[in-house]
Amino acid sequence: MSENGKSFGFTGKLGFVLATAGSAVGLGNLWRFPYLAEQYGGGAFILIYVILAITFGFTLMIAEVTIGRKTGKSCLEAFGSIDKKWKWVGWLAALVPAIIVPYYCVIGGWVTKYFVEYATGNGSEVNTSFFLGFMTCDLPGLFDNPVVWFIIFTIMVAAVVIVGVDKGIERVSKILMPLLLILLIITTIFALSMDGAMDGLSYYLVPKVEDISAGTFLGAVGQLFYSMSLAMGITITYGAYMKKDVDIEKSVRSVSLIDTGVALLAGLMIVPAVIAIGEPGNKGVGLMFMTLPKVFEAMPAGEFVAALFFLLVIFAALTSAISLMETLVYVLMDKAKMQRIPASILVFVFTIALGLLSCLGFGPLGDVFLLKEGMTFLDFFDFISNSILMPIVAALTCLFIGFVVGPKFITDEVESSGSFKSKKMFIVLVKWICPIALVLILLTGLLDFFDIFKI
Ligand code: PHE
């Protein structure tokens, strides 16, 4: 993104789709989706996720992109420019990246460490006990400390935001994103050919009703918004950069297909392998870092493939983290009238300060749990942003479209540059089904989370 919407615009449909997919495809797909799928019962989670993606994800992305394109403004201004009373929803949305970016960079640091281990020929040392020692800050060396890697990753993100090389990133994305996809497919095929992987495959693909709880819905909805970069103002800004003649429905469909496809593939690569390796169980945030090394270990030229793989994950994470950090820098430049460099430095310091809590939350701060037993700082920030703020912002966006401005506001704009095949479905979803379901999911999910009420 650039200083303002006017000096920068996507070239056409392809430009929009690639840039939005670049923001959407990130750690959400590769790291977060597989561990949630494993945690929430495999097939049951996948089924709910896909249904929600086709309905809620699609509807909300259309709504956000169109709000952006019609107003030509970022999320801070977009809501207020339509109706002053709704300005605060834009601010609420902009709060989400501030909570996510610090812990996103912590995971980015873990990925960077893994890349360096594999690239320097130390891949054979990477295993579960290595990871547990690393994440809990128990290893002695300076470069075996997760804080160091968290800072390195955050510096990389901030450096790009300071220089503002968005065009360069777009160009590199065009090569690296397809490469990531190819590597994902190769690793997945290999992981699925491991002994016992077929049992895992059925766990991953066959939904079991008893695995579905209110928490599954809350987890899936949060993941959906996170993965598609929704409910945090980003796609509104991207919509503002979209040319007036680009077909919105087709573009949104392509982005959601790419994003969901990559997530499903990443799950396919990791979840059956955990079962094949014989270590199922609730591994949470560490899943990718404990299971994948075993797949690479069993693979011919595994260390090389692993180094390449983690490099591409770094890249996917960087493009996403940059768009998150850029949003915050933009707010400071726009609202506090700061220059780009001081604004970037301020956001950098904030990221490090807040991220440190998440980074140390598995080690020195390991005894501190928030909200409930076992909830580390990282889990806490992840929960607040994904399971609480995003459903709220999403529901408010739907109500705003459905009842304040009316769905026609959106459908007219979509139809100004192409057909809107799902128009009827969009109207029913945005007006009724999404807001009602989101409120229900949020409430029952919270009751479930606090063990007050179980479905
Ligand atoms: N969608 C990104 C992911 O899946 C995360 C992200 C959210 C990036 C919002 C930018 C903006 O990792």
Side-chain angles (χ1 to χ4, degrees), residues 23-29 104 226-229 232 234 320 323-324:
S23 158
V25 174
L27 293 174
N29 311 59
Y104 203 88
Y226 185 95
S227 186
M228 291 179 75
S229 307
M232 52 185 114
I234 303 238
S320 299
S323 72
L324 283 166

Side-chain angles (χ1 to χ4, degrees), residues 148-373:
V148 173
W149 293 98
F150 158 54
I151 294 174
I152 291 176
F153 184 83
T154 314
I155 289 177
M156 292 197 283
V157 179
V160 179
V161 172
I162 286 179
V163 186
V165 292
D166 41 86
K167 286 273 154 84
I169 286 241
E170 254 188 71
R171 234 171 283 143
V172 189
S173 298
K174 282 186 192 156
I175 306 165
L176 292 190
M177 280 294 157
L179 204 60
L180 175 67
L181 205 64
I182 294 170
L183 221 58
L184 255 179
I185 294 173
I186 295 175
T187 317
T188 305
I189 293 173
F190 188 82
L192 288 178
S193 69
M194 290 168 75
D195 277 348
M198 284 307 130
D199 294 340
L201 189 64
S202 69
Y203 172 78
Y204 183 65
L205 292 181
V206 182
K208 285 197 276 343
V209 184
E210 66 269 26
D211 288 334
I212 301 178
S213 72
T216 319
F217 279 92
L218 188 62
V221 155
Q223 171 61 19
L224 177 68
F225 296 156
Y226 185 95
S227 186
M228 291 179 75
S229 307
L230 293 172
M232 52 185 114
I234 303 238
T235 39
I236 296 185
T237 312
Y238 277 40
Y241 294 150
M242 189 194 221
K243 291 252 152 47
K244 283 285 183 193
D245 58 353
V246 172
D247 188 315
I248 297 185
E249 188 180 30
K250 283 209 185 100
S251 310
V252 166
R253 197 150 269 145
S254 309
V255 175
S256 49
L257 249 159
I258 297 174
D259 189 66
T260 309
V262 173
L264 291 177
L265 210 56
L268 205 55
M269 169 180 77
I270 296 179
V271 179
V274 200
I275 298 185
I277 289 160
E279 289 184 348
N282 196 340
K283 291 221 179 51
V285 297
L287 180 66
M288 171 179 174
F289 301 93
M290 297 191 263
T291 305
L292 267 185
K294 300 211 168 125
V295 176
F296 289 128
E297 201 179 291
M299 206 170 176
E303 290 212 12
F304 172 75
V305 179
L308 199 59
F309 179 80
F310 280 106
L311 182 65
L312 294 170
V313 179
I314 294 179
F315 184 78
L318 266 179
T319 51
S320 299
I322 290 163
S323 72
L324 283 166
M325 196 182 270
E326 173 72 31
T327 312
L328 302 177
V329 171
Y330 180 88
V331 170
L332 289 179
M333 293 195 323
D334 195 33
K335 295 292 154 198
K337 300 285 169 256
M338 288 177 79
Q339 295 293 313
R340 174 167 283 272
I341 295 181
S344 307
I345 293 173
L346 194 64
V347 173
F348 174 77
V349 172
F350 165 82
T351 305
I352 296 292
L354 206 62
L356 265 183
L357 292 175
S358 297
C359 195
L360 299 175
F362 299 103
L365 299 178
D367 293 335
V368 186
F369 295 135
L370 297 113
L371 296 182
K372 74 176 196 177
E373 185 66 21

